[in-house]
Amino acid sequence: MISDKRWDTGSVLQLGAMVGLSFGAAIGLSMLAGPLLGSRLPPPEVMLLTVVISLLCVQGTMVIWVHQLLRQNALTWGEAFGVTQRNYRQCVALALLALVIALFGMGVLGYLTTTVLEVAADRTGWDWLKPQPQAIAELLKNDWPWWLLTLQAFTAIIVAPVGEELLFRGVLYGFIKQRGHPRLALWISAVLFAAVHGNAVGFLFFIFLSMILVALYEQTKNIFAPILLHALFNAVNFALIVTQPKWAEKLIDS
């Protein structure tokens, strides 16, 4: 975090509980979406809309819970995350440079992980080890109405980067670091960030991406920088999945 004021432990634990409730609410909404929308939309559209609603429920509410955390700790957004600083040119320049590094890392780490998992599956006979395409990436390869693609793009490029960066870099990383454990903060936030994406092929890459995002945050002292990088990375992935489905089969969705 930017401010030297320590987060209250109780309020951070409360934030974690609220995020957990958001995941529970998302599961409940996804179970209701099918019966409610099934008579109005084709099954594939219901599936994609269900995913979008679930993501909006979890990642959208993260912003609300973080705002509540700030109120409990008597901090402004500028004090906590540096958003009122006027270093946006620096943030943009560094985010664009980091995007190139992130995309290169995605290609290298994705290829290495895929190769290792395929070799392991062949030698052990465990087919479950073989890499599987991300469900959302598979869905996006179809032809969709413009409103559904727009909603998915808004979720992936705006809502997800803001919610996830506030939670993982802004709060989790900052909270552990201010307790005197910067390396632990880096690794815990990176591993949890990778775990919530549920992508075996992308696990190492998401750890790598998390470290880049932390480096941006530390360099700029402004949460806008990692949010921008996250948004740009998701935008590239989204555009390639939609327009180049065959090549995009090897992409890692974030």
Side-chain angles (χ1 to χ4, degrees):
M1 61 185 294
I2 305 303
S3 173
D4 292 331
K5 184 177 180 180
R6 291 162 64 97
W7 296 113
D8 174 66
T9 302
S11 64
V12 173
L13 293 176
Q14 183 181 3
L15 171 66
M18 297 308 294
V19 171
L21 286 176
S22 293
F23 274 100
I27 294 173
L29 285 174
S30 65
M31 295 174 65
L32 292 173
L36 291 175
L37 300 172
S39 61
R40 298 175 176 84
L41 298 171
E45 292 184 15
V46 172
M47 291 178 62
L48 181 56
L49 188 55
T50 299
V51 172
V52 173
I53 291 172
S54 299
L55 292 174
L56 283 172
C57 179
V58 174
Q59 296 162 332
T61 55
M62 284 181 186
V63 180
I64 299 174
W65 307 142
V66 170
H67 178 68
Q68 181 64 25
L69 175 74
L70 296 184
R71 292 185 61 185
Q72 292 174 339
N73 286 267
L75 287 169
T76 66
W77 287 85
E79 291 170 336
F81 306 124
V83 294
T84 55
Q85 295 191 79
R86 297 182 178 180
N87 63 336
Y88 290 102
R89 289 185 179 180
Q90 178 193 26
C91 292
V92 171
L94 291 177
L96 289 172
L97 175 62
L99 176 63
V100 176
I101 298 172
L103 291 173
F104 177 77
M106 178 182 67
V108 173
L109 292 174
Y111 174 78
L112 291 176
T113 304
T114 298
T115 302
V116 170
L117 289 176
E118 288 177 345
V119 170
D122 291 339
R123 292 188 176 181
T124 61
W126 296 343
D127 289 339
W128 58 269
L129 283 175
K130 292 183 178 180
Q132 300 296 325
Q134 284 284 84
I136 187 64
E138 288 295 295
L139 280 173
L140 286 174
K141 289 190 222 175
N142 298 327
D143 292 328
W144 299 106
W146 68 269
W147 65 269
L148 194 49
L149 273 182
T150 300
L151 184 59
Q152 172 60 22
F154 173 75
T155 304
I157 300 172
I158 303 298
V159 179
V162 172
E164 291 180 7
E165 292 312 307
L166 287 175
L167 179 65
F168 288 102
R169 257 59 65 181
V171 176
L172 181 60
Y173 171 76
F175 175 72
I176 300 174
K177 180 188 175 183
Q178 69 179 189
R179 261 61 186 175
H181 307 287
R183 292 184 181 178
L184 190 62
L186 176 65
W187 282 105
I188 289 180
S189 60
V191 171
L192 288 179
F193 178 67
V196 298
H197 285 85
N199 185 341
V201 173
F203 190 81
L204 290 179
F205 167 71
F206 284 124
I207 291 178
F208 175 70
L209 178 61
S210 180
M211 292 181 177
I212 296 176
L213 291 164
V214 166
L216 268 182
Y217 191 30
E218 288 286 0
Q219 181 66 31
T220 62
K221 306 301 181 184
N222 190 337
I223 198 69
F224 173 73
I227 288 175
L228 179 59
L229 170 59
H230 198 150
L232 291 172
F233 179 82
N234 282 10
V236 171
N237 274 268
F238 183 84
L240 289 173
I241 289 172
V242 172
T243 62
Q244 305 291 330
K246 291 184 179 180
W247 190 80
E249 287 178 358
K250 298 182 179 180
L251 286 180
I252 298 171
D253 181 56
S254 180

